[in-house]
Structure formats: C-alpha cells, structure tokens
Amino acid sequence: MGCIQSIRCKPKSFRESIIVLELNASIDSNPTSIDEGSGVVLRYRTPHFRATARVLVPPVPAKETWTIGWIQACNHMEFFNTYGDKGM
C-alpha cells in the first residue's frame, strides 16, 4: 500500500508524474443543527464535506499495491450560537 509518507521514498521523477486531473469539493447545503439531548454536552451536526478527484498515476511495479484515498483535516473552526434577538 502507498501513503503520502511512502511516496517520499519514490524517485523524484515518479513523484512529479502523479497528476491531479480534476478536483471537485462541496459542502452539503443543510444547515448545522445542534443536538441538546444531553445535559452535559452539545452535539453539533454539521453538513457533510464531499470531494471527488481524478488522478493520473504512472505505472506501479507489479509487486506493489496502492490505495488512493482522502484524508480530511480541519485546522480552524468557529461556531456562533445565536439566541434570537438576545445575542450570540
């Protein structure tokens, strides 16, 4: 299997020949909902992030198997609770 870490050990010519041909990303249009069912914690249900891509990969040696997938990360998030005309 290949992963972003293992690609570093491949020759530079191989790494540079991996091409992202198309990339699409979107967030579902439904609003974030708040589940207040617990007296201890609020659970925020956010819209799903969706992504697709077409990737061109050079021939892989016969003894290697690669799985190409997504890793989603979030480095910043802000929530604002609005209480009608009472404030946020």
Side-chain angles (χ1 to χ4, degrees):
M1 288 232 261
C3 66
I4 196 67
Q5 287 80 17
S6 67
I7 201 169
R8 291 184 187 141
C9 65
K10 299 292 180 195
K12 187 175 181 181
S13 60
F14 181 89
R15 294 191 315 258
E16 291 177 347
S17 63
I18 297 174
I19 301 167
V20 177
L21 299 172
E22 183 180 349
L23 176 66
N24 298 300
S26 65
I27 298 175
D28 288 351
S29 61
N30 56 310
T32 297
S33 64
I34 303 172
D35 179 353
E36 299 180 65
S38 168
V40 180
V41 66
L42 289 176
R43 175 176 279 163
Y44 290 87
R45 298 185 190 279
T46 59
H48 289 157
F49 171 81
R50 303 188 187 277
T52 60
R54 286 191 325 123
V55 181
L56 180 63
V57 179
V60 175
K63 294 184 180 185
E64 291 186 15
T65 301
W66 280 44
T67 300
I68 298 174
W70 294 99
I71 297 175
Q72 182 179 349
C74 178
N75 62 3
H76 181 80
M77 187 177 281
E78 292 184 25
F79 288 101
F80 297 95
N81 292 323
T82 305
Y83 302 97
D85 60 355
K86 308 261 188 253
M88 311 179 24

